[in-house]
Amino acid sequence: MALPQTVPFIGWAWDDLIFLVLAGLMLGGGLMVVLGRDIIRSGLFMVLSFAALAGIYVLLGAPLVAAAQVLIYIGAISVLILFAIMLTQSKAGPSNLVFHHQSWAGALAAVGLAVIIIVVVIYTDWPGAATGVVASATTLIANLLFTDYVLAFEVVSVLLLAAVIGGVFLAKREDSPDPGARAVDEPTLGRLPAPRDES
Amino acid sequence: MSQSLDAYLILSGLLFAIGTFGFLARRNAIAMLMSIELMLNAVNLSIVAFGAFVPGLAGDGALIALFVMAVAAAEATVGLAIVIAIYRNKRTPLVDEYASMRE
């Protein structure tokens, strides 16, 4: 069964409908991340926002970026953030005061920024822009990666190594000289309990 | 609509503004980091949109977006490690209670 050329009853192209749905999901997820009271729910809405953005990358003809978005953002960064949320949950639960007292200034700045960006985008005539999406072939990206961008590629690998070492070093707990002298209420997250002497 | 550069750039700008508000207004340090991720995603969207609509940049846009993702992963790793290290000392993830440099 072939789909009709346009969306039935509305007359839009399918791409427009998909774009609007994905854009709504992405912006709605982003708003829920920012405004949500429960921070774990914020993290899960962030996953929704990232997934919708991956769909928009597909619409833009960049399937490799979409795959990397799913792998890196949804698979790695979101899981890392969810773990960090669970490690820093306080016993009192979500705080009553989610925002700073001066958050109206932040809201003002954000709305001003959005208005400025929209005005600039609408009134700028982008030179050299095509009227349609030009899909980027994966072979072209691979060729560019190992010719023009090979130095950046190597530097990024060193950067990731440095980030891994730095993350481990920062999150590592200082070993106390006497394990028995630790405070009682200290949580033992991130390390195994000390072996106990049975004798 | 899905074939115009303006629509993607406006979408990117809106997402960036949402991230800005979250970064400025939230009290939780991890919520601030999540807002930073939203802003990085917005910038990535505009980069990919330019790469898709400017014929001379086909390929470059996607590649630069991939580099941005790698740097974002590094940033998230170190940022969350710093937040966890501070949480271990202060017992709270709320940034307005980190006042030891003011006292």
PDB file of all heavy atoms in Angstrom, chain A residues 17-55:
ATOM      1  N   LEU A  17       4.961  17.484   8.244  1.00  0.00           N
ATOM      2  CA  LEU A  17       4.267  16.943   9.414  1.00  0.00           C
ATOM      3  C   LEU A  17       5.264  16.306  10.379  1.00  0.00           C
ATOM      4  O   LEU A  17       5.234  16.552  11.595  1.00  0.00           O
ATOM      5  CB  LEU A  17       3.234  15.916   8.972  1.00  0.00           C
ATOM      6  CG  LEU A  17       2.422  15.318  10.110  1.00  0.00           C
ATOM      7  CD1 LEU A  17       1.496  16.368  10.687  1.00  0.00           C
ATOM      8  CD2 LEU A  17       1.618  14.123   9.647  1.00  0.00           C
ATOM      9  N   ILE A  18       6.196  15.503   9.818  1.00  0.00           N
ATOM     10  CA  ILE A  18       7.182  14.838  10.686  1.00  0.00           C
ATOM     11  C   ILE A  18       8.058  15.880  11.373  1.00  0.00           C
ATOM     12  O   ILE A  18       8.368  15.774  12.566  1.00  0.00           O
ATOM     13  CB  ILE A  18       8.029  13.852   9.854  1.00  0.00           C
ATOM     14  CG1 ILE A  18       7.135  12.758   9.298  1.00  0.00           C
ATOM     15  CG2 ILE A  18       9.125  13.242  10.686  1.00  0.00           C
ATOM     16  CD1 ILE A  18       7.838  11.868   8.328  1.00  0.00           C
ATOM     17  N   PHE A  19       8.423  16.910  10.621  1.00  0.00           N
ATOM     18  CA  PHE A  19       9.248  17.969  11.218  1.00  0.00           C
ATOM     19  C   PHE A  19       8.525  18.636  12.385  1.00  0.00           C
ATOM     20  O   PHE A  19       9.110  18.823  13.461  1.00  0.00           O
ATOM     21  CB  PHE A  19       9.594  19.003  10.149  1.00  0.00           C
ATOM     22  CG  PHE A  19      10.307  20.205  10.681  1.00  0.00           C
ATOM     23  CD1 PHE A  19      11.651  20.137  11.003  1.00  0.00           C
ATOM     24  CD2 PHE A  19       9.645  21.401  10.887  1.00  0.00           C
ATOM     25  CE1 PHE A  19      12.313  21.228  11.504  1.00  0.00           C
ATOM     26  CE2 PHE A  19      10.293  22.498  11.392  1.00  0.00           C
ATOM     27  CZ  PHE A  19      11.632  22.418  11.696  1.00  0.00           C
ATOM     28  N   LEU A  20       7.235  18.933  12.170  1.00  0.00           N
ATOM     29  CA  LEU A  20       6.507  19.608  13.247  1.00  0.00           C
ATOM     30  C   LEU A  20       6.374  18.716  14.477  1.00  0.00           C
ATOM     31  O   LEU A  20       6.548  19.172  15.606  1.00  0.00           O
ATOM     32  CB  LEU A  20       5.126  20.034  12.755  1.00  0.00           C
ATOM     33  CG  LEU A  20       5.099  21.337  11.974  1.00  0.00           C
ATOM     34  CD1 LEU A  20       3.687  21.681  11.580  1.00  0.00           C
ATOM     35  CD2 LEU A  20       5.711  22.447  12.801  1.00  0.00           C
ATOM     36  N   VAL A  21       6.069  17.432  14.238  1.00  0.00           N
ATOM     37  CA  VAL A  21       5.913  16.533  15.385  1.00  0.00           C
ATOM     38  C   VAL A  21       7.227  16.412  16.146  1.00  0.00           C
ATOM     39  O   VAL A  21       7.267  16.510  17.387  1.00  0.00           O
ATOM     40  CB  VAL A  21       5.417  15.152  14.898  1.00  0.00           C
ATOM     41  CG1 VAL A  21       5.512  14.142  16.018  1.00  0.00           C
ATOM     42  CG2 VAL A  21       3.996  15.255  14.405  1.00  0.00           C
ATOM     43  N   LEU A  22       8.332  16.222  15.405  1.00  0.00           N
ATOM     44  CA  LEU A  22       9.625  16.075  16.078  1.00  0.00           C
ATOM     45  C   LEU A  22      10.034  17.359  16.781  1.00  0.00           C
ATOM     46  O   LEU A  22      10.564  17.326  17.897  1.00  0.00           O
ATOM     47  CB  LEU A  22      10.693  15.661  15.067  1.00  0.00           C
ATOM     48  CG  LEU A  22      10.592  14.238  14.549  1.00  0.00           C
ATOM     49  CD1 LEU A  22      11.609  13.996  13.471  1.00  0.00           C
ATOM     50  CD2 LEU A  22      10.797  13.259  15.679  1.00  0.00           C
ATOM     51  N   ALA A  23       9.761  18.493  16.144  1.00  0.00           N
ATOM     52  CA  ALA A  23      10.117  19.764  16.782  1.00  0.00           C
ATOM     53  C   ALA A  23       9.315  19.957  18.065  1.00  0.00           C
ATOM     54  O   ALA A  23       9.860  20.385  19.085  1.00  0.00           O
ATOM     55  CB  ALA A  23       9.861  20.921  15.812  1.00  0.00           C
ATOM     56  N   GLY A  24       8.020  19.589  18.009  1.00  0.00           N
ATOM     57  CA  GLY A  24       7.212  19.714  19.219  1.00  0.00           C
ATOM     58  C   GLY A  24       7.711  18.807  20.318  1.00  0.00           C
ATOM     59  O   GLY A  24       7.809  19.217  21.483  1.00  0.00           O
ATOM     60  N   LEU A  25       8.063  17.581  19.957  1.00  0.00           N
ATOM     61  CA  LEU A  25       8.585  16.654  20.974  1.00  0.00           C
ATOM     62  C   LEU A  25       9.881  17.193  21.563  1.00  0.00           C
ATOM     63  O   LEU A  25      10.094  17.140  22.784  1.00  0.00           O
ATOM     64  CB  LEU A  25       8.841  15.288  20.348  1.00  0.00           C
ATOM     65  CG  LEU A  25       7.661  14.342  20.221  1.00  0.00           C
ATOM     66  CD1 LEU A  25       8.098  13.072  19.539  1.00  0.00           C
ATOM     67  CD2 LEU A  25       7.120  14.016  21.588  1.00  0.00           C
ATOM     68  N   MET A  26      10.744  17.725  20.705  1.00  0.00           N
ATOM     69  CA  MET A  26      12.041  18.180  21.190  1.00  0.00           C
ATOM     70  C   MET A  26      11.878  19.376  22.112  1.00  0.00           C
ATOM     71  O   MET A  26      12.445  19.409  23.211  1.00  0.00           O
ATOM     72  CB  MET A  26      12.930  18.535  20.011  1.00  0.00           C
ATOM     73  CG  MET A  26      14.353  18.802  20.383  1.00  0.00           C
ATOM     74  SD  MET A  26      15.319  19.261  18.965  1.00  0.00           S
ATOM     75  CE  MET A  26      14.967  20.986  18.889  1.00  0.00           C
ATOM     76  N   LEU A  27      11.080  20.366  21.678  1.00  0.00           N
ATOM     77  CA  LEU A  27      10.918  21.548  22.518  1.00  0.00           C
ATOM     78  C   LEU A  27      10.140  21.217  23.787  1.00  0.00           C
ATOM     79  O   LEU A  27      10.465  21.709  24.871  1.00  0.00           O
ATOM     80  CB  LEU A  27      10.214  22.652  21.737  1.00  0.00           C
ATOM     81  CG  LEU A  27      11.043  23.282  20.632  1.00  0.00           C
ATOM     82  CD1 LEU A  27      10.267  24.384  19.957  1.00  0.00           C
ATOM     83  CD2 LEU A  27      12.338  23.822  21.175  1.00  0.00           C
ATOM     84  N   GLY A  28       9.112  20.360  23.675  1.00  0.00           N
ATOM     85  CA  GLY A  28       8.366  19.984  24.871  1.00  0.00           C
ATOM     86  C   GLY A  28       9.242  19.232  25.853  1.00  0.00           C
ATOM     87  O   GLY A  28       9.207  19.501  27.065  1.00  0.00           O
ATOM     88  N   GLY A  29      10.039  18.310  25.351  1.00  0.00           N
ATOM     89  CA  GLY A  29      10.964  17.600  26.231  1.00  0.00           C
ATOM     90  C   GLY A  29      11.942  18.552  26.889  1.00  0.00           C
ATOM     91  O   GLY A  29      12.226  18.447  28.084  1.00  0.00           O
ATOM     92  N   GLY A  30      12.456  19.513  26.097  1.00  0.00           N
ATOM     93  CA  GLY A  30      13.391  20.482  26.665  1.00  0.00           C
ATOM     94  C   GLY A  30      12.744  21.305  27.755  1.00  0.00           C
ATOM     95  O   GLY A  30      13.341  21.540  28.808  1.00  0.00           O
ATOM     96  N   LEU A  31      11.499  21.722  27.511  1.00  0.00           N
ATOM     97  CA  LEU A  31      10.803  22.501  28.539  1.00  0.00           C
ATOM     98  C   LEU A  31      10.589  21.676  29.798  1.00  0.00           C
ATOM     99  O   LEU A  31      10.736  22.174  30.913  1.00  0.00           O
ATOM    100  CB  LEU A  31       9.462  22.994  28.000  1.00  0.00           C
ATOM    101  CG  LEU A  31       9.498  24.285  27.200  1.00  0.00           C
ATOM    102  CD1 LEU A  31       8.121  24.600  26.649  1.00  0.00           C
ATOM    103  CD2 LEU A  31       9.964  25.419  28.084  1.00  0.00           C
ATOM    104  N   MET A  32      10.249  20.390  29.622  1.00  0.00           N
ATOM    105  CA  MET A  32      10.036  19.565  30.810  1.00  0.00           C
ATOM    106  C   MET A  32      11.339  19.344  31.565  1.00  0.00           C
ATOM    107  O   MET A  32      11.349  19.245  32.787  1.00  0.00           O
ATOM    108  CB  MET A  32       9.431  18.219  30.413  1.00  0.00           C
ATOM    109  CG  MET A  32       8.004  18.302  29.955  1.00  0.00           C
ATOM    110  SD  MET A  32       6.919  19.028  31.158  1.00  0.00           S
ATOM    111  CE  MET A  32       6.905  17.762  32.399  1.00  0.00           C
ATOM    112  N   VAL A  33      12.466  19.271  30.822  1.00  0.00           N
ATOM    113  CA  VAL A  33      13.762  19.158  31.503  1.00  0.00           C
ATOM    114  C   VAL A  33      13.981  20.369  32.395  1.00  0.00           C
ATOM    115  O   VAL A  33      14.405  20.263  33.547  1.00  0.00           O
ATOM    116  CB  VAL A  33      14.903  19.042  30.462  1.00  0.00           C
ATOM    117  CG1 VAL A  33      16.242  19.176  31.139  1.00  0.00           C
ATOM    118  CG2 VAL A  33      14.808  17.747  29.726  1.00  0.00           C
ATOM    119  N   VAL A  34      13.677  21.527  31.856  1.00  0.00           N
ATOM    120  CA  VAL A  34      14.015  22.755  32.567  1.00  0.00           C
ATOM    121  C   VAL A  34      13.024  23.045  33.692  1.00  0.00           C
ATOM    122  O   VAL A  34      13.402  23.501  34.763  1.00  0.00           O
ATOM    123  CB  VAL A  34      14.074  23.903  31.545  1.00  0.00           C
ATOM    124  CG1 VAL A  34      14.114  25.223  32.228  1.00  0.00           C
ATOM    125  CG2 VAL A  34      15.289  23.742  30.682  1.00  0.00           C
ATOM    126  N   LEU A  35      11.737  22.759  33.429  1.00  0.00           N
ATOM    127  CA  LEU A  35      10.713  23.177  34.382  1.00  0.00           C
ATOM    128  C   LEU A  35      10.317  22.083  35.356  1.00  0.00           C
ATOM    129  O   LEU A  35       9.623  22.364  36.323  1.00  0.00           O
ATOM    130  CB  LEU A  35       9.460  23.645  33.632  1.00  0.00           C
ATOM    131  CG  LEU A  35       9.673  24.804  32.675  1.00  0.00           C
ATOM    132  CD1 LEU A  35       8.388  25.131  31.947  1.00  0.00           C
ATOM    133  CD2 LEU A  35      10.147  26.022  33.427  1.00  0.00           C
ATOM    134  N   GLY A  36      10.698  20.832  35.104  1.00  0.00           N
ATOM    135  CA  GLY A  36      10.218  19.730  35.925  1.00  0.00           C
ATOM    136  C   GLY A  36      10.719  19.808  37.357  1.00  0.00           C
ATOM    137  O   GLY A  36      11.828  20.271  37.622  1.00  0.00           O
ATOM    138  N   ARG A  37       9.886  19.365  38.270  1.00  0.00           N
ATOM    139  CA  ARG A  37      10.254  19.424  39.678  1.00  0.00           C
ATOM    140  C   ARG A  37      11.110  18.231  40.078  1.00  0.00           C
ATOM    141  O   ARG A  37      12.080  18.359  40.821  1.00  0.00           O
ATOM    142  CB  ARG A  37       8.968  19.450  40.505  1.00  0.00           C
ATOM    143  CG  ARG A  37       9.149  19.539  41.973  1.00  0.00           C
ATOM    144  CD  ARG A  37       7.843  19.936  42.600  1.00  0.00           C
ATOM    145  NE  ARG A  37       7.495  21.310  42.272  1.00  0.00           N
ATOM    146  CZ  ARG A  37       7.935  22.345  42.981  1.00  0.00           C
ATOM    147  NH1 ARG A  37       8.685  22.145  44.032  1.00  0.00           N
ATOM    148  NH2 ARG A  37       7.612  23.572  42.660  1.00  0.00           N
ATOM    149  N   ASP A  38      10.748  17.064  39.563  1.00  0.00           N
ATOM    150  CA  ASP A  38      11.484  15.842  39.889  1.00  0.00           C
ATOM    151  C   ASP A  38      12.648  15.689  38.926  1.00  0.00           C
ATOM    152  O   ASP A  38      12.456  15.642  37.703  1.00  0.00           O
ATOM    153  CB  ASP A  38      10.524  14.653  39.760  1.00  0.00           C
ATOM    154  CG  ASP A  38      11.173  13.371  40.212  1.00  0.00           C
ATOM    155  OD1 ASP A  38      12.331  13.434  40.652  1.00  0.00           O
ATOM    156  OD2 ASP A  38      10.527  12.325  40.121  1.00  0.00           O
ATOM    157  N   ILE A  39      13.871  15.596  39.475  1.00  0.00           N
ATOM    158  CA  ILE A  39      15.019  15.690  38.570  1.00  0.00           C
ATOM    159  C   ILE A  39      15.226  14.395  37.780  1.00  0.00           C
ATOM    160  O   ILE A  39      15.718  14.436  36.652  1.00  0.00           O
ATOM    161  CB  ILE A  39      16.278  16.103  39.343  1.00  0.00           C
ATOM    162  CG1 ILE A  39      17.405  16.355  38.378  1.00  0.00           C
ATOM    163  CG2 ILE A  39      16.664  15.082  40.353  1.00  0.00           C
ATOM    164  CD1 ILE A  39      18.414  17.262  38.883  1.00  0.00           C
ATOM    165  N   ILE A  40      14.797  13.263  38.312  1.00  0.00           N
ATOM    166  CA  ILE A  40      14.915  12.043  37.522  1.00  0.00           C
ATOM    167  C   ILE A  40      14.004  12.122  36.313  1.00  0.00           C
ATOM    168  O   ILE A  40      14.365  11.740  35.197  1.00  0.00           O
ATOM    169  CB  ILE A  40      14.584  10.827  38.399  1.00  0.00           C
ATOM    170  CG1 ILE A  40      15.689  10.634  39.416  1.00  0.00           C
ATOM    171  CG2 ILE A  40      14.442   9.580  37.555  1.00  0.00           C
ATOM    172  CD1 ILE A  40      15.550   9.379  40.202  1.00  0.00           C
ATOM    173  N   ARG A  41      12.811  12.681  36.511  1.00  0.00           N
ATOM    174  CA  ARG A  41      11.908  12.861  35.372  1.00  0.00           C
ATOM    175  C   ARG A  41      12.529  13.829  34.366  1.00  0.00           C
ATOM    176  O   ARG A  41      12.386  13.648  33.156  1.00  0.00           O
ATOM    177  CB  ARG A  41      10.568  13.375  35.885  1.00  0.00           C
ATOM    178  CG  ARG A  41       9.413  12.785  35.140  1.00  0.00           C
ATOM    179  CD  ARG A  41       8.144  12.997  35.897  1.00  0.00           C
ATOM    180  NE  ARG A  41       7.952  12.011  36.948  1.00  0.00           N
ATOM    181  CZ  ARG A  41       6.961  12.061  37.816  1.00  0.00           C
ATOM    182  NH1 ARG A  41       6.105  13.055  37.768  1.00  0.00           N
ATOM    183  NH2 ARG A  41       6.836  11.129  38.728  1.00  0.00           N
ATOM    184  N   SER A  42      13.219  14.843  34.865  1.00  0.00           N
ATOM    185  CA  SER A  42      13.912  15.756  33.952  1.00  0.00           C
ATOM    186  C   SER A  42      14.900  14.992  33.084  1.00  0.00           C
ATOM    187  O   SER A  42      14.973  15.211  31.877  1.00  0.00           O
ATOM    188  CB  SER A  42      14.659  16.826  34.739  1.00  0.00           C
ATOM    189  OG  SER A  42      13.781  17.687  35.366  1.00  0.00           O
ATOM    190  N   GLY A  43      15.657  14.072  33.721  1.00  0.00           N
ATOM    191  CA  GLY A  43      16.626  13.302  32.950  1.00  0.00           C
ATOM    192  C   GLY A  43      15.957  12.449  31.893  1.00  0.00           C
ATOM    193  O   GLY A  43      16.458  12.329  30.765  1.00  0.00           O
ATOM    194  N   LEU A  44      14.805  11.875  32.216  1.00  0.00           N
ATOM    195  CA  LEU A  44      14.133  11.028  31.224  1.00  0.00           C
ATOM    196  C   LEU A  44      13.552  11.874  30.083  1.00  0.00           C
ATOM    197  O   LEU A  44      13.601  11.454  28.919  1.00  0.00           O
ATOM    198  CB  LEU A  44      13.044  10.201  31.901  1.00  0.00           C
ATOM    199  CG  LEU A  44      13.614   9.201  32.897  1.00  0.00           C
ATOM    200  CD1 LEU A  44      12.502   8.465  33.608  1.00  0.00           C
ATOM    201  CD2 LEU A  44      14.515   8.212  32.201  1.00  0.00           C
ATOM    202  N   PHE A  45      13.035  13.060  30.405  1.00  0.00           N
ATOM    203  CA  PHE A  45      12.565  13.928  29.326  1.00  0.00           C
ATOM    204  C   PHE A  45      13.723  14.395  28.451  1.00  0.00           C
ATOM    205  O   PHE A  45      13.537  14.646  27.261  1.00  0.00           O
ATOM    206  CB  PHE A  45      11.806  15.121  29.890  1.00  0.00           C
ATOM    207  CG  PHE A  45      10.365  14.843  30.113  1.00  0.00           C
ATOM    208  CD1 PHE A  45       9.848  14.772  31.380  1.00  0.00           C
ATOM    209  CD2 PHE A  45       9.529  14.638  29.040  1.00  0.00           C
ATOM    210  CE1 PHE A  45       8.511  14.500  31.580  1.00  0.00           C
ATOM    211  CE2 PHE A  45       8.198  14.367  29.232  1.00  0.00           C
ATOM    212  CZ  PHE A  45       7.686  14.292  30.506  1.00  0.00           C
ATOM    213  N   MET A  46      14.927  14.489  29.043  1.00  0.00           N
ATOM    214  CA  MET A  46      16.081  14.840  28.227  1.00  0.00           C
ATOM    215  C   MET A  46      16.331  13.759  27.185  1.00  0.00           C
ATOM    216  O   MET A  46      16.669  14.066  26.033  1.00  0.00           O
ATOM    217  CB  MET A  46      17.297  15.003  29.131  1.00  0.00           C
ATOM    218  CG  MET A  46      18.466  15.616  28.458  1.00  0.00           C
ATOM    219  SD  MET A  46      19.821  15.797  29.598  1.00  0.00           S
ATOM    220  CE  MET A  46      20.202  14.104  29.908  1.00  0.00           C
ATOM    221  N   VAL A  47      16.132  12.490  27.552  1.00  0.00           N
ATOM    222  CA  VAL A  47      16.281  11.407  26.573  1.00  0.00           C
ATOM    223  C   VAL A  47      15.285  11.585  25.429  1.00  0.00           C
ATOM    224  O   VAL A  47      15.629  11.426  24.251  1.00  0.00           O
ATOM    225  CB  VAL A  47      16.100  10.042  27.260  1.00  0.00           C
ATOM    226  CG1 VAL A  47      16.108   8.939  26.228  1.00  0.00           C
ATOM    227  CG2 VAL A  47      17.172   9.815  28.289  1.00  0.00           C
ATOM    228  N   LEU A  48      14.036  11.950  25.784  1.00  0.00           N
ATOM    229  CA  LEU A  48      13.025  12.176  24.739  1.00  0.00           C
ATOM    230  C   LEU A  48      13.459  13.293  23.804  1.00  0.00           C
ATOM    231  O   LEU A  48      13.354  13.174  22.570  1.00  0.00           O
ATOM    232  CB  LEU A  48      11.694  12.522  25.402  1.00  0.00           C
ATOM    233  CG  LEU A  48      10.578  12.957  24.451  1.00  0.00           C
ATOM    234  CD1 LEU A  48      10.113  11.769  23.648  1.00  0.00           C
ATOM    235  CD2 LEU A  48       9.440  13.571  25.196  1.00  0.00           C
ATOM    236  N   SER A  49      13.970  14.371  24.380  1.00  0.00           N
ATOM    237  CA  SER A  49      14.400  15.499  23.559  1.00  0.00           C
ATOM    238  C   SER A  49      15.535  15.090  22.621  1.00  0.00           C
ATOM    239  O   SER A  49      15.532  15.424  21.429  1.00  0.00           O
ATOM    240  CB  SER A  49      14.837  16.630  24.482  1.00  0.00           C
ATOM    241  OG  SER A  49      15.192  17.758  23.775  1.00  0.00           O
ATOM    242  N   PHE A  50      16.504  14.320  23.147  1.00  0.00           N
ATOM    243  CA  PHE A  50      17.612  13.868  22.308  1.00  0.00           C
ATOM    244  C   PHE A  50      17.126  12.965  21.183  1.00  0.00           C
ATOM    245  O   PHE A  50      17.597  13.046  20.046  1.00  0.00           O
ATOM    246  CB  PHE A  50      18.632  13.108  23.143  1.00  0.00           C
ATOM    247  CG  PHE A  50      19.422  13.973  24.081  1.00  0.00           C
ATOM    248  CD1 PHE A  50      20.178  13.401  25.086  1.00  0.00           C
ATOM    249  CD2 PHE A  50      19.412  15.347  23.957  1.00  0.00           C
ATOM    250  CE1 PHE A  50      20.898  14.192  25.955  1.00  0.00           C
ATOM    251  CE2 PHE A  50      20.127  16.132  24.811  1.00  0.00           C
ATOM    252  CZ  PHE A  50      20.876  15.551  25.819  1.00  0.00           C
ATOM    253  N   ALA A  51      16.155  12.102  21.480  1.00  0.00           N
ATOM    254  CA  ALA A  51      15.667  11.166  20.455  1.00  0.00           C
ATOM    255  C   ALA A  51      14.954  11.919  19.341  1.00  0.00           C
ATOM    256  O   ALA A  51      15.149  11.615  18.146  1.00  0.00           O
ATOM    257  CB  ALA A  51      14.735  10.147  21.087  1.00  0.00           C
ATOM    258  N   ALA A  52      14.137  12.919  19.717  1.00  0.00           N
ATOM    259  CA  ALA A  52      13.471  13.708  18.681  1.00  0.00           C
ATOM    260  C   ALA A  52      14.494  14.445  17.830  1.00  0.00           C
ATOM    261  O   ALA A  52      14.345  14.555  16.606  1.00  0.00           O
ATOM    262  CB  ALA A  52      12.505  14.695  19.322  1.00  0.00           C
ATOM    263  N   LEU A  53      15.563  14.912  18.467  1.00  0.00           N
ATOM    264  CA  LEU A  53      16.604  15.600  17.703  1.00  0.00           C
ATOM    265  C   LEU A  53      17.285  14.636  16.732  1.00  0.00           C
ATOM    266  O   LEU A  53      17.638  15.024  15.611  1.00  0.00           O
ATOM    267  CB  LEU A  53      17.618  16.217  18.655  1.00  0.00           C
ATOM    268  CG  LEU A  53      18.661  17.098  17.994  1.00  0.00           C
ATOM    269  CD1 LEU A  53      18.010  18.195  17.189  1.00  0.00           C
ATOM    270  CD2 LEU A  53      19.570  17.698  19.006  1.00  0.00           C
ATOM    271  N   ALA A  54      17.443  13.377  17.134  1.00  0.00           N
ATOM    272  CA  ALA A  54      18.017  12.401  16.202  1.00  0.00           C
ATOM    273  C   ALA A  54      17.121  12.252  14.977  1.00  0.00           C
ATOM    274  O   ALA A  54      17.615  12.169  13.837  1.00  0.00           O
ATOM    275  CB  ALA A  54      18.211  11.053  16.901  1.00  0.00           C
ATOM    276  N   GLY A  55      15.787  12.262  15.181  1.00  0.00           N
ATOM    277  CA  GLY A  55      14.880  12.204  14.034  1.00  0.00           C
ATOM    278  C   GLY A  55      15.032  13.417  13.135  1.00  0.00           C
ATOM    279  O   GLY A  55      14.986  13.306  11.903  1.00  0.00           O
TER     280      GLY A  55
END
